Amino acid sequence: MSDETTNDTAKGATTDVTNRRRSQRVFLSVRVVARFHLLHREWIVEGETRVVNAHGGTLQLSVAPLAPGDIIKITNPETGYAESCRVVRIEALPGQGFEVAFAFDRPSPHFWAVVFPPTDWIESLITHD
C-alpha cells in the first residue's frame, strides 16, 4: 500500500469518527445560567445556547472557563433543570465572548424541554414547500 493510499484511508477514518454523534443535534437558542470556578472565584454567567443535543451542546458566554476538562454547572431557568457538565472545547469569538462546547455528565434529553428527532432522521425525506 502506498503512502498516498494510507493517508487517504486515515483521513477517511478520522472524518467518520469526527462526524459521528451520540444524539441528534438541534439548533436551539435557550437562555441558560452557567456556574464555574475561574481564578479562585465562582462565576455565575448568563449565556445562550447555539446547538444542543441529549448529551450536551454549545453555548455563548461573555466569560469562559480556562480549559477543556473544566467542570461547569448549567441551569435552564425555563425548566428548572440543572446539570453538571465537562467543557469539551472553548473558542474565542472576537467581540462576542466565547463559544463553549460541553458534555453533560450523563445524558439529559429532558434538559432542553424539546422532543429530539430520532437518530435516523434524514432531512431529505421532508418535503419543503
Side-chain angles (χ1 to χ4, degrees), residues 81-96:
Y81 287 122
E83 291 289 341
S84 179
C85 312
R86 179 180 41 83
V87 173
V88 176
R89 176 182 46 80
I90 302 169
E91 181 180 331
L93 302 172
Q96 299 175 18

Side-chain angles (χ1 to χ4, degrees), residues 30-32 34 45-51 57-64 91 93-102:
V30 174
R31 187 178 64 84
V32 296
V45 182
E46 283 193 16
E48 195 167 287
T49 62
R50 292 178 165 209
V51 177
T58 62
L59 62 110
Q60 187 174 341
L61 296 173
S62 59
V63 177
E91 181 180 331
L93 302 172
Q96 299 175 18
F98 301 88
E99 180 176 87
V100 178
F102 63 93

